[in-house]
Amino acid sequence: MTMTTTRISGTINGREVTTEVDNATLLLDLLRDLGLTGAKPSCEMEVCGACAVQLDGLPVSACTTLAIELDGRTVETVEGLAQSADALHPVQRAFLQKSAFQCGFCTPGMIMSAKALLEANPSPSRDDVVHWLEGSICRCTGYESIVEAVLEAAEEMRNG
Amino acid sequence: MAEPSVSGTSIPRLDGPAKVMGRAKYALDLDIPGAAHGVAVRADRAHARIIGVDASKAEALPGVIAVVTAASVAPIDVRFGHISRDHPALAVDKVRYAGEPVALVVAETRRAAEKAARLVRVTYEDLPAVIDAEDALADGAPLLHEVHPGRTGDEGFHNTGADALEGNLCAANLIEWGDLEAELAAADVVVEGEYRYPMLYGYAMEPYNATALFEEGTLTVYTTAQHPYMVRDDLARMFALPLARVRVVVPYVGGGYGTKSYTKVEPLAALGAYATGRPVRVALSVEEAIFTTRSDGAVIRARSAFKSDGTLLARDFDIVMNSGAYSDNSPLVCAKLAARAFGPYRLNALRVRCRSAFTNTTPASSLRGFGAPQGNLAGELQMDEAADRLGIDARELRLLNVVRPGEEILPGKRGIDADLAADLELLTESLGWGEREGVGFGLAASDAGAHPTSTALVRIHGDGSASCAIGATELGQGSRTVLSQILADGLGLPFEKVSIVQSDTGVVAYERTTGASRTTTLVGRSLLAACDDARRRIRELAAEYAADVQDAPGGVVADGEHLSYGAVIRKWFGSGGEVVGVGAIRRHGEFEKLPPFWEIGASGVAVSVDEETGRVVVEQLTTVGDVGFAINPLLVHGQDLGAATMTLGAALSEELVYDGTTLSNPNVVEYRVPRVSDMPAKIDQILAERRDGIGPFGAKGGGEGAGNTIGAAVAAAVGRLLGRYPRELPLTPERVWRLAQEAAPDRETEAVRG
Amino acid sequence: MQILSDFQLHRPASLDEAVQLRSELGDGAALYAGGTELLLALKMGVLEYEHLIDVKRIPGLNAIEVQGAALRIGATATHRDIETSPLVAEHVPALSKLARHVANVRVRAAGTLAGNLAFGEPHADPAALLVALGATVELLSSGGRRSLPVEQFAVGAYETELGEDELIEAVVVPLPTAQTRATYLKFQVLERPTVGVAAVARDGDAPTVVVGAVDEKPVRIEASDGVEDYVNAARDAVDPVDDLSGSAEYKRHLTGVIVRRALEALAA
Ligand code: FES
Ligand code: FES
């Protein structure tokens, strides 16, 4: 009998999750099966960032990450950032203030990528933001408001 | 109506918190209990007769519920199409493009369905295929439709050139006036050229998906459609159901830009549900989305005739569009491309012949600006070329010929409701025209708004708050917010006391489409009419208790006393109750003359070129949003920048490339859309608010215009730097490098002369 | 939608175990480190394996350290590990910079340098610079260890010298001397480089120039007589094909341009 499933446990948005997954399951599908539909499938080829979540703090493409990667590690999705609209993460607040989205389909991935940037580099220059978001596509906004939002969030987080 | 207080402000988006928290539900995110999953088996060749479909291996796979084909659902006629009912949801007898759905595998999980789909064996007999549009129109070309598809007869599409269609001609339009030959003969300068605009993939980031179920004799579909009512019509025709028995629900949509106009994936889901009795979800990948709809590529042969003083005398366009295997919206694009090629200029004579050709490629349809970016490339580039030949400044040449407010550009149509000359001055000043190198700009006026049919429903509740039920779809453009602002002003209520329900044909009022930049203008007007109707009802109720009743913000003044709407309602009903207002606009009265408004394009760029590599860098982008009145200025800027950015993609990198009969880049790895690093260092967004639109408070639509001139503007800017104008987009590094090579000898000669 | 076929997962706790699995499972197994290239290929159905050997969790295999006169980059070190490693920045700054511009931040966070080499994708950044720097790969199998210059390891498109029973243990870059100058310059339109040029000048010697991403494997440019000589030699040496990044003719031209610019950057 060959085993094509694996028992894993890890942390998703601060909660311990233990589950048996098909080895072939992608992290994005696992998350969405758990009701966490914030991360979106779009290109499914690692280029757009709509599926971005943080894995041990760094942004990854959940569309091209195996669910077994969760084992012993920590995943954060957009749903973990705030429980209510009054308690938003500074990046979320900045996205609202700058109107850094339209259809919003790219937004969860953008926000998680931006949050990962600010955790890795609390004082990014404009070029740093552009460089970091190069792999995050938005078809609606023309990006300007997104870059501004990330810079504003950085400032807010620094002034804390 | 009183001056608006909520409209005209950049109120934060209603959908903001849900979207930044990841809670906004898109069709893809809906949890439909018991839903099975459908995956299409797609043709691996461009043109072939179907000999047989062997699904036995697929059906044997665990979890597979059914393999649906056109034959298996007989006598259902699986064809759909709002202009021509020529598009089988599942291929009948033959396939007409690589990627066309032949069968639908329905299984318990998407994985099982996908696996099974790979096991379905379709045997074909290949037919000769035609990929190029001009080849398709040539004598003896392989025929896509043996029987030419007719038209559905929808009044709104009367102008889609249905006469004398034969062979692979999908649609044809002719616009003609004046004595073209005489004007050409009288001209001092005639600019002539052939221009090419690529086939594009709109890449709305949420790929098409739909979930369908039959319940209580009603077909309900949750989908990504921009036009739920149009989809309803198609589904009602397909399943022979009354319109009342088809309900189309559209939650948040992950990008539209015209690509989600009209019916796409809904029939597949509905056929799956019909065949299995289960709710069925069909969610496409990006690759499948590319095989569902693209935009029409175009080859445009153009001539423009001028007097030596710069007077534009006449223009002549011969346009061939590559429209793919089925009509979809291409006939309308054909009509629009014809009307949008020659620009907002005075002309003694004009001839535009535009033909749309069926080819063995993905069906083409609308994409932001439909027709305008294609036509504008030729029309505006010829203004620039002519300016150089005439020795007249390119801006002055346009100012000399551009129509002034109220003037017609199409005989019998509404006169121009904009001051284009003033827009051009704002634009060129921002770009530093005349003071720096590498600047390109242009003008466009699109007959926008589509057919002016719109209805709205307003409910004033017992506490004096109000909601509206609207058929227009929130695509990200911000219609929830803008329409709520208009509702608040229409009833004199604060923004916090209004709400909106959208895009559920089972609940909301009829809306023809969400496209052609019409929502703010047309829905805004039907919504205001519904507000007036509700206020009239409130006055009537109040009049039962008072002799003198006057409108007042948020209520009435009855015999000198201010009564809120709630007070009037509660008094009249005694307990509970509400007042309903309905509003409608149609092609009548002030909306009789089409188009309802002209959508203006006045955008430009400054670029630099690395001639050795051919790389173009956009240094500055300026948009002038001539929207009459910005209900929400921040959202207008968002639309303008978004539209301009999309066309920057077409100008510089986006293009679907066929290699033989195979699409080489059906993915966003090799089809490059703009990235954050492509954005110009300087972005200048200007609003021109002259209250000259037919919409609420003088507004008129935006959202496409800012992109319509960008292709030509980039080409002109590059052309000015290189000394030779490009005539084909996108300006990939290789194309620009080649152009620089070609231009080099000319420039050397000039340098010698100079 | 893209799906993966079922596979068995093996998670060796040590290199020995990994090597053992490698020899047992042979070509039915794929090594899984970053997975960025592998998973894409599996999802598209281009590749299929019954077994995945997950080497990611082997302790210490991601170490980046200086050993003697070489920088040793463990097989599971990611592009991001390299980009942010102070050791790499100190000793081989051109490699830090290259790592910073590989694909996008998510790919850099997951993808590994060793995996990149093992996959043999011709349109990639690292190989050219590694060849120019004289880097080697350390290969391990149950039969023992061997070391191979990257230049020999890369055979062609998706083809390497990696044996069925082998795995890469580390990529080893000889430490450049203080006088060595190195640069990597690329031209890119789509997701992968169209042309990438590595130039390394050691102690005043004529520079080593290697062109990557154009041919199926990095091409060393034999020239010695100044910039134009290199440019011409590079144009002659490459054998480009027409693809979505451009025609062969254009890519040949572009190779010359980027070689010139790389050499100018080196001299600057
Ligand atoms: S969906 Fe994962 S990167 Fe695009
Ligand atoms: S907001 Fe629509 S894709 Fe970014």
Side-chain angles (χ1 to χ4, degrees), chain B residues 466-637:
Chain B
S467 54
C468 61
I470 298 290
T473 304
E474 171 64 64
L475 302 167
Q477 81 281 50
S479 65
R480 290 184 75 66
T481 310
V482 165
L483 294 173
S484 297
Q485 287 177 270
I486 294 170
L487 173 61
D489 281 324
L491 293 176
L493 288 172
F495 192 68
E496 297 69 36
K497 283 200 169 181
V498 302
S499 72
I500 180 166
V501 177
Q502 282 177 282
S503 312
D504 176 343
T505 66
V507 174
V508 302
Y510 179 86
E511 185 60 35
R512 191 170 163 81
T513 58
T514 301
S517 308
R518 73 203 298 266
T519 299
T520 298
T521 309
L522 299 184
V523 183
R525 284 294 303 270
S526 65
L527 179 56
L528 283 181
C531 289
D532 285 347
D533 190 45
R535 293 187 104 152
R536 180 187 56 78
R537 294 279 301 129
I538 291 279
R539 283 196 307 273
E540 280 174 11
L541 305 194
E544 293 190 18
Y545 305 96
D548 177 43
V549 179
Q550 305 290 334
D551 270 340
V556 291
V557 174
D559 292 340
E561 183 195 359
H562 185 276
L563 291 177
S564 72
Y565 296 133
V568 175
I569 291 169
R570 288 192 303 272
K571 189 160 184 185
W572 196 84
F573 281 99
S575 171
E578 71 174 21
V579 157
V580 177
V582 295
I585 61 166
R586 58 185 175 127
R587 196 179 160 195
H588 184 76
E590 58 181 315
F591 293 100
E592 176 70 40
K593 244 190 185 179
L594 293 180
F597 61 96
W598 290 92
E599 179 166 4
I600 302 309
S603 304
V605 295
V607 310
S608 62
V609 174
D610 177 344
E611 291 192 29
E612 274 191 325
T613 62
R615 166 126 39 213
V616 176
V617 173
V618 181
E619 311 280 355
Q620 181 180 339
L621 167 71
T622 297
T623 61
V624 177
D626 182 342
V627 294
F629 173 68
I631 309 276
N632 188 317
L634 199 55
L635 293 183
V636 175
H637 285 324

Side-chain angles (χ1 to χ4, degrees), chain B residues 48-60:
Chain B
R49 202 157 293 292
I50 299 170
I51 305 297
V53 179
D54 177 5
S56 51
K57 279 205 180 117
E59 283 163 344

Side-chain angles (χ1 to χ4, degrees), chain B residues 166-225:
Chain B
E166 53 181 26
N168 288 323
L169 194 58
C170 165
N173 277 87
L174 182 67
I175 305 175
E176 206 171 13
W177 71 74
D179 186 342
L180 182 68
E181 295 310 323
E183 297 293 337
L184 283 167
D188 297 313
V189 167
V190 178
V191 182
E192 216 169 325
E194 182 180 309
Y195 303 81
R196 289 175 177 268
Y197 199 87
M199 307 178 204
L200 302 174
Y201 164 53
Y203 189 30
M205 289 190 73
E206 181 186 20
Y208 304 110
N209 67 89
T211 307
L213 53 127
F214 286 87
E215 222 170 47
E216 299 179 4
T218 296
L219 167 60
T220 302
V221 183
Y222 301 88
T223 177
T224 48

Side-chain angles (χ1 to χ4, degrees), chain A residues 101-104 106 138-140, chain B residues 205 257:
Chain A
F101 58 89
Q102 288 178 25
C103 79
C106 71
C138 172
R139 280 295 265 172
C140 293
Chain B
M205 289 190 73
Y257 329 113

